[in-house]
């Protein structure tokens, strides 16, 4: 990383932190994060990771922007409707910080294309379907990729960090049901937009903490937030010996 006055100014509020220095900033510039899902969670996570100076950010999604997204997906505008989420996000993030390399993958994650995650140091699950969350958990455990799981619905959000083979994974906490299609989605049950911003930002925080070995990760803990009552709980978790991902 070639330091100059512009870079020092850009990251000045980070560099004065007691737990962050130039060496940390240089390390972050060599790290990469993949965001799977560029919706309500992926938007704030992408903004903060780019602003902080992560070296490479992978945006993985195949959706286009709908008017109903704009209530909570803050990377997009009315003029974006009908356009690709990842391409629109890339343009906005490039404007925010040209020093972060933005890569786009115009696909949904499947078992067949899972190797696209190999090149990233940390994965964010910002998807909104239970089936995809189980799939992404299994892929990351198989590839030995650390993962931040999160979900939001109505005024409630939850988030946890998974270190494969070492900590509780998504399947340890949520045994797969036989009727995943019956679970409500945001389009059916709604979502209070600020909770998505809070949870997505926590996911970005977990990625930064992992990449720079700062603080305590949300491993073996599920953080649950109800923003209407502001009830915040941390549920202790345990890696299950009989988990099919073990």
């Amino acid at each position: 990383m070639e330091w100059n006055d512009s870079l020092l100014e850009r990251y000045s509020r980070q560099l004065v932190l007691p737990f962050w220095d130039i060496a940390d900033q240089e390390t972050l510039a060599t790290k990469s994060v993949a965001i799977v899902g560029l919706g309500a969670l992926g938007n704030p996570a992408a903004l903060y990771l780019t602003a902080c100076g992560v070296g490479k950010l992978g945006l993985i999604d195949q959706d286009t922007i709908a008017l109903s997204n704009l209530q909570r997906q803050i990377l997009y505008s009315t003029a974006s409707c009908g356009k690709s989420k990842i391409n629109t996000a890339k343009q906005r993030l490039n404007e925010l910080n040209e020093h972060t390399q933005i890569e786009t993958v115009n696909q949904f994650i499947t078992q067949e294309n899972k190797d696209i995650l190999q090149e990233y140091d940390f994965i964010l699950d910002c998807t909104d379907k239970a089936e995809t969350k189980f799939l992404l958990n299994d892929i990351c455990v198989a590839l030995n990729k650390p993962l931040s799981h999160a979900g939001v619905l109505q005024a409630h959000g939850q988030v946890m960090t998974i270190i494969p083979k070492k900590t509780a994974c998504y399947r340890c906490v949520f045994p797969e049901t036989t009727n995943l299609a019956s679970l409500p989605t945001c389009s059916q049950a709604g979502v209070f937009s600020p909770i998505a911003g809070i949870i997505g930002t926590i996911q970005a925080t977990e990625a930064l903490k992992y990449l720079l070995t700062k603080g305590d990760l949300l491993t073996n803990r599920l953080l649950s937030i109800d923003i209407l009552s502001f009830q915040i709980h941390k549920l202790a978790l345990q890696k299950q010996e009989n988990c099919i991902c073990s």
Side-chain angles (χ1 to χ4, degrees), residues 30-44:
T30 69
K31 301 298 184 180
S32 59
V33 178
I35 300 178
V36 184
L38 262 291
L41 296 171
N43 276 220

Side-chain angles (χ1 to χ4, degrees), residues 151-153 155-159 195 199 223-227:
V152 292
L153 194 68
H156 176 78
Q158 63 184 30
V159 59
I195 190 64
I199 299 297
L223 178 67
S224 174
I225 301 175
D226 184 323
I227 200 169

Side-chain angles (χ1 to χ4, degrees), residues 160-163 167-168 206 216-222 235 237:
M160 65 182 285
T161 296
I162 299 160
I163 308 299
T167 71
E206 287 293 281
D216 297 321
L217 294 169
L218 280 170
T219 51
N220 291 323
R221 291 177 291 173
L222 181 71
L235 177 65
L237 308 175

